[in-house]
Amino acid sequence: MVNALPSTGEDMSDTPPESIAYGRLMHRAMRGLIQTVLQDVADHGLPGEHHFFITFDTQHPDADLAAWLMERYPEEMTIVIQHWYDGLQVDDDGFSITLNFGDNPESMRVPFDAILTFVDPSVEFGLRFETNAKNDGPEDDPTPPDGSEESDDGEDSGAAQDAEVVSLDRFRKTH
């Protein structure tokens, strides 16, 4: 699990020249990684045993999902892209997909900036985007994402907690 630090929404041009905003740069790069992976799945399908648990902020202004889903998941929602999905379309800002909720297909739009966690448990890979920190400092709690929500195909996304945790602190210089 790699913890990507939050983006404050500031452009690099707003950063003082004596400071490199590594947290924002890493945040942008990890969202680009998700975009690349999802585009490959849209083009070629899911390879092998790969599948994704994606938790996102349902309150994000650009998130678009059915009213009953918003009511059921008023803060965040975990979806699973695995056995049944349709119409996956990816662009620079996010992705659109149709998922099956109890034999009821629902289309939704998920902005990349709304993603809180992205996990592929088949290869123990995961990313968590911290949204509550206000700076580019290290995250002190490198724990796996909370998997308490049920996914679109009835699986408990707690399986996402099996992903390996990688702390970036071991790569930081101590002086």
Side-chain angles (χ1 to χ4, degrees):
M1 179 71 60
V2 175
N3 283 315
L5 298 175
S7 171
T8 60
E10 295 177 27
D11 197 322
M12 279 294 292
S13 62
D14 295 339
T15 304
E18 68 274 357
S19 176
I20 298 173
Y22 287 109
R24 285 192 296 270
L25 291 170
M26 185 174 183
H27 188 264
R28 188 179 307 143
M30 294 301 102
R31 300 250 193 246
L33 179 143
I34 294 169
Q35 178 183 6
T36 300
V37 167
L38 290 177
Q39 185 62 61
D40 189 58
V41 169
D43 293 343
H44 307 289
L46 278 166
E49 298 296 315
H50 288 275
H51 58 286
F52 310 128
F53 292 92
I54 302 173
T55 302
F56 66 97
D57 176 4
T58 57
Q59 295 297 310
H60 189 284
D62 295 327
D64 185 18
L65 56 157
W68 73 270
L69 287 171
M70 281 291 297
E71 189 174 306
R72 185 169 178 189
Y73 303 100
E75 294 178 14
E76 64 184 46
M77 178 179 182
T78 299
I79 59 172
V80 176
I81 301 176
Q82 185 174 15
H83 299 298
W84 192 102
Y85 64 92
D86 194 30
L88 177 59
Q89 296 182 342
V90 182
D91 59 40
D92 289 341
D93 298 319
F95 66 96
S96 299
I97 192 167
T98 300
L99 296 171
N100 188 14
F101 295 89
D103 292 328
N104 185 18
E106 289 287 349
S107 296
M108 63 179 61
R109 168 97 180 139
V110 179
F112 290 124
D113 285 342
I115 295 175
L116 304 172
T117 63
F118 177 91
V119 177
D120 182 346
S122 71
V123 292
E124 297 183 3
F125 176 80
L127 298 171
R128 177 182 16 200
F129 297 91
E130 301 299 333
T131 58
N132 56 356
K134 296 292 183 195
N135 58 42
D136 287 335
E139 174 59 36
D140 293 330
D141 182 19
T143 55
D146 179 11
S148 60
E149 298 290 339
E150 263 194 25
S151 66
D152 69 293
D153 59 2
E155 295 180 25
D156 185 348
S157 63
Q161 293 181 344
D162 294 335
E164 179 182 355
V165 175
V166 177
S167 175
L168 298 178
D169 291 338
R170 71 176 124 170
F171 301 105
R172 296 185 195 280
K173 291 186 178 183
T174 57
H175 61 280

